[in-house]
């Protein structure tokens, strides 16, 4: 997988991106917000990963505290404060489904699931148990998932499937 991930704001005028840095085994990851013309770069979080945007002012990311391995939060893109903590969500590879909804699709070691930004205490909803696709991205109509292969195929294969896990195909 790449050493960074990124996403557009819902208005298209800004980007959020994360740079992965595990120098000496320490989490030195950083997330930034920047205007599309590369102006006004601002640090919004340390020790973060898997940034996704596209619903209002909330940016979803993995932002663990010192004692935690994973902690999924929604950060306000204006104030950079945490607005919600999703304690029942463990995973990565987030993809905010559509601009007009608060549904987040994500992958973990057990398959593809979803949760709602408006329900931080709810358990995730299982969509399928496919684990052979990582770094997922949802199609504009919300019916297909594209991503990279898993295991030794990470970054070498492109795979596509239906949201329910059927019709898994290798594109590359």
């Amino acid at each position: 997988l790449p050493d960074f991930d990124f996403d557009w704001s819902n208005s298209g005028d800004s980007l959020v991106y994360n740079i992965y840095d595990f120098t000496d085994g320490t989490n030195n990851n950083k997330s930034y917000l920047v205007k599309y013309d590369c102006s006004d770069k601002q640090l919004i979080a340390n020790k973060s990963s898997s940034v996704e945007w596209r619903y209002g002012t909330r940016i979803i990311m993995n932002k663990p505290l010192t004692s935690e391995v994973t902690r999924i939060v929604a950060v306000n893109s204006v104030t950079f404060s945490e607005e919600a903590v999703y304690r029942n969500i463990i995973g990565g590879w987030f993809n905010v489904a559509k601009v007009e909804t608060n549904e987040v699709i994500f992958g973990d070691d057990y398959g593809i699931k979803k949760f709602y930004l408006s329900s931080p205490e709810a358990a995730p909803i299982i969509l399928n148990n496919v684990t052979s696709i990582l770094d997922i991205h949802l199609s504009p109509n919300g019916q297909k998932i594209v991503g990279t292969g898993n295991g030794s195929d990470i970054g070498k294969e492109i795979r596509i499937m239906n949201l329910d896990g059927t019709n898994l195909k290798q594109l590359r």
Side-chain angles (χ1 to χ4, degrees), residues 48-102:
S48 52
S49 62
S50 299
V51 294
E52 286 292 330
W53 202 347
R54 295 243 188 91
Y55 179 74
T57 60
R58 287 187 172 183
I59 298 169
I60 303 302
M61 65 177 63
N62 181 1
K63 186 180 171 202
L65 297 174
T66 305
S67 62
E68 297 168 316
V69 174
T70 186
R71 179 170 166 263
I72 310 308
V73 300
V75 173
N76 184 294
S77 64
V78 176
T79 64
F80 308 146
S81 62
E82 289 183 15
E83 290 187 345
V85 176
Y86 302 87
R87 299 187 195 291
N88 294 315
I89 308 303
I90 298 172
W93 322 304
F94 302 112
N95 192 259
V96 178
K98 300 175 187 171
V99 173
E100 68 275 2
T101 70
N102 71 1

Side-chain angles (χ1 to χ4, degrees), residues 3 27 31 44 50 59 93 101 106 118 125 140 144 146 168:
D3 294 331
N27 182 341
S31 294
I44 61 171
S50 299
I59 298 169
W93 322 304
T101 70
F106 73 100
S118 57
I125 298 163
K144 300 252 186 226
V146 66
L168 177 64

Side-chain angles (χ1 to χ4, degrees), residues 112-168:
I112 308 294
K113 302 174 184 176
K114 73 176 176 180
F115 68 96
Y116 294 94
L117 295 174
S118 57
S119 303
E121 297 303 321
I125 298 163
I126 299 169
L127 299 174
N128 65 61
N129 62 359
V130 176
T131 60
S132 61
I133 188 169
L134 301 176
D135 194 22
I136 64 170
H137 296 276
L138 201 64
S139 65
N141 69 1
Q143 299 304 306
K144 300 252 186 226
I145 292 175
V146 66
T148 185
N150 197 349
S152 62
D153 298 323
I154 291 177
K156 296 177 185 171
E157 293 184 359
I158 300 171
R159 297 179 179 171
I160 189 169
M161 69 179 179
N162 295 331
L163 188 61
D164 66 4
T166 61
N167 205 23
L168 177 64

